[in-house]
Amino acid sequence: MDALVRPVVDPTFAAGALAFLLGGVALGTASGLVPGLHANNFALLLAGFAPSVPADPLFVGVAMLGAGVVHSFLDIVPALALGVPDAATAVAALPGHRLVIAGRGREAVRLSALGSGLAVALAVPLAVPVTWLMVRWYPALRAHLPLLLGGVVALLVLTESSRRAAVGGLVAFLASAALGFATLDADPAAPLSTGGVLAPLFAGLFGVPVLVEALGGEGVPPQADPRIAMRARDLGTSAGAGSLAGAVVGYVPGVSAAIAAVAAMPAVPRASADRGFVVATSGANTANTIFALFALVALGTPRTGVTVAIDRAGVPFALPVLLVAAATAACFGFALVVLVGDPYLRVVGNADYTRLSVGVLGLLAAVSYAFAGAYGVGVLLVAGALGLVPPRVGARRVHLMGVLIGPLIVG
């Protein structure tokens, strides 16, 4: 007689995993709400400390993944209140700010939460067939990666709003690519052994410029009710486009959520362009955490800072446990966006922008020094100056992803 197969729950293991997940949620909340910080930074720090943590390495991976998922929900909040996006949400700043200026910031917060939540729900079932296809196509993709990335660059340039913006975007791409060539291979002495130049590079390209532009700003205007003025069908379409865009980010090197969201724009209903763009970008940013996890397990290729840290820490690829952790973290992330989004817009948005911007600039300098020493502060300054260029010619800052794409094209 065949024995019955029953699922077994280990209370000790479950309690340990939950404790580490809550720790990751706390870290992701801090990185998501503090401008200039990123979950990647905390994940890499955890990777450095992982060998000395007296716990199952899988628990450390659960904490890293939880931090990444929660961060991807919350990072839209400072982008709306302060205009300080990271690389993943930079492209959402203008549509999001238009909603804030129109008094619809509370709606934008909820649209972002729904976009992220729906994208996670779609990403889990989509990840299986997409991974199956990518396992078979990946050798061809790698062989033709320079051509593919060249097409991505052409798409970004050709979809600019004017010839001047297109030329400016191309110049910004080439300049950021040169910066990537000059800095990515550097190994500067720094207080943190798990540091690197990526933190000052992205903080400079996507954080410093908006902070400088915010100096003397008037803050957030009064916000209306949080009612969502977007049809459910349009919301679902935009979230689906974001989830598919997240799949591209998870498997194709050098393509960020911001770039993927630009490519997803044709699928966003024109009547809800700004709202749909916030939904799609948030969805791509969060779905990326799921697809990148599958890419790591199936292909052994970490695509995000969090998956790089998971790989470095020797976390076992227990996919069911990690997926449950990601789904649980997504529930926390959704609740946190709704709970803290409105107070954040009200309190931080009404603060003295000059003092706030100067304080956050100091924080970015300190983070850059911690991760890359004095060299990192220099990189922050150069990248910050470069990041001021695209808006001056009407171009999107997403072209500055050339800092990664350029070196990948050349190989």
Side-chain angles (χ1 to χ4, degrees):
M1 181 177 179
D2 294 336
L4 291 176
V5 177
R6 296 177 180 175
V8 176
V9 177
D10 183 342
T12 303
F13 179 88
L18 180 59
F20 273 78
L21 177 63
L22 292 175
V25 167
L27 292 177
T29 302
S31 64
L33 295 179
V34 176
L37 293 183
H38 197 279
N40 292 348
N41 300 338
F42 286 129
L44 291 171
L45 284 176
L46 283 174
F49 288 117
S52 60
V53 175
D56 189 331
L58 183 57
F59 290 170
V60 179
V62 164
M64 293 174 179
L65 191 59
V69 171
V70 171
H71 176 98
S72 71
F73 272 83
L74 288 171
D75 57 1
I76 189 69
V77 178
L80 292 173
L82 297 171
V84 191
D86 59 22
T89 58
V91 74
L94 285 177
H97 283 165
R98 283 197 290 268
L99 290 172
V100 171
I101 291 170
R104 304 305 304 170
R106 297 174 68 195
E107 178 191 2
V109 166
R110 285 155 180 79
L111 286 170
S112 175
L114 286 170
S116 291
L118 289 172
V120 169
L122 292 170
V124 174
L126 279 175
V128 175
V130 169
T131 302
W132 184 86
L133 290 173
M134 286 305 303
V135 167
R136 285 149 183 80
W137 293 352
Y138 193 70
L141 186 151
R142 286 294 306 176
H144 298 91
L145 184 61
L147 183 61
L148 175 62
L149 293 178
V152 169
V153 174
L155 173 68
L156 293 176
V157 171
L158 293 175
T159 54
E160 279 292 358
S161 57
S162 67
R163 179 177 296 182
R164 180 171 181 263
V167 172
L170 180 59
V171 171
F173 170 81
L174 294 173
S176 61
L179 181 61
F181 280 114
T183 60
L184 286 176
D185 290 333
D187 186 20
L192 297 178
S193 59
T194 56
V197 296
L198 285 178
L201 269 177
F202 284 112
L205 291 171
F206 299 103
V208 168
V210 189
L211 282 169
V212 171
E213 292 164 353
L215 290 170
E218 297 181 358
V220 175
Q223 298 298 298
D225 63 81
R227 179 179 56 87
I228 294 177
M230 188 177 186
R231 294 189 307 173
R233 182 176 179 178
D234 292 348
L235 178 61
T237 300
S238 300
S243 187
L244 290 174
V248 175
V249 180
Y251 290 97
V252 181
V255 178
S256 69
I259 294 174
V262 171
M265 273 305 290
V268 174
R270 191 177 297 274
S272 306
D274 283 353
R275 291 173 171 83
F277 200 52
V278 170
V279 171
T281 305
S282 299
N285 192 25
T286 304
N288 174 35
T289 60
I290 303 298
F291 288 109
L293 179 62
F294 273 82
L296 176 62
V297 173
L299 302 173
T301 55
R303 287 280 173 260
T304 65
V306 170
T307 53
V308 167
I310 288 175
D311 191 43
R312 286 185 186 177
V315 175
F317 294 159
L319 193 56
V321 174
L322 294 175
L323 283 178
V324 169
T328 307
C331 295
F332 278 107
F334 185 92
L336 285 166
V337 171
V338 176
L339 286 173
V340 307
D342 291 353
Y344 196 105
L345 280 175
R346 183 175 63 252
V347 175
V348 178
N350 292 332
D352 185 324
Y353 260 36
T354 299
R355 291 184 179 180
L356 201 56
S357 296
V358 170
V360 177
L361 284 169
L363 174 63
L364 295 184
V367 169
S368 299
Y369 181 81
F371 277 85
Y375 182 86
V377 177
V379 169
L380 179 76
L381 294 174
V382 173
L386 177 57
L388 291 167
V389 173
R392 299 296 188 274
V393 295
R396 299 178 294 239
R397 281 201 178 93
V398 70
H399 297 285
L400 298 174
M401 284 303 297
V403 72
L404 293 183
I405 295 177
L408 284 171
I409 290 177
V410 175

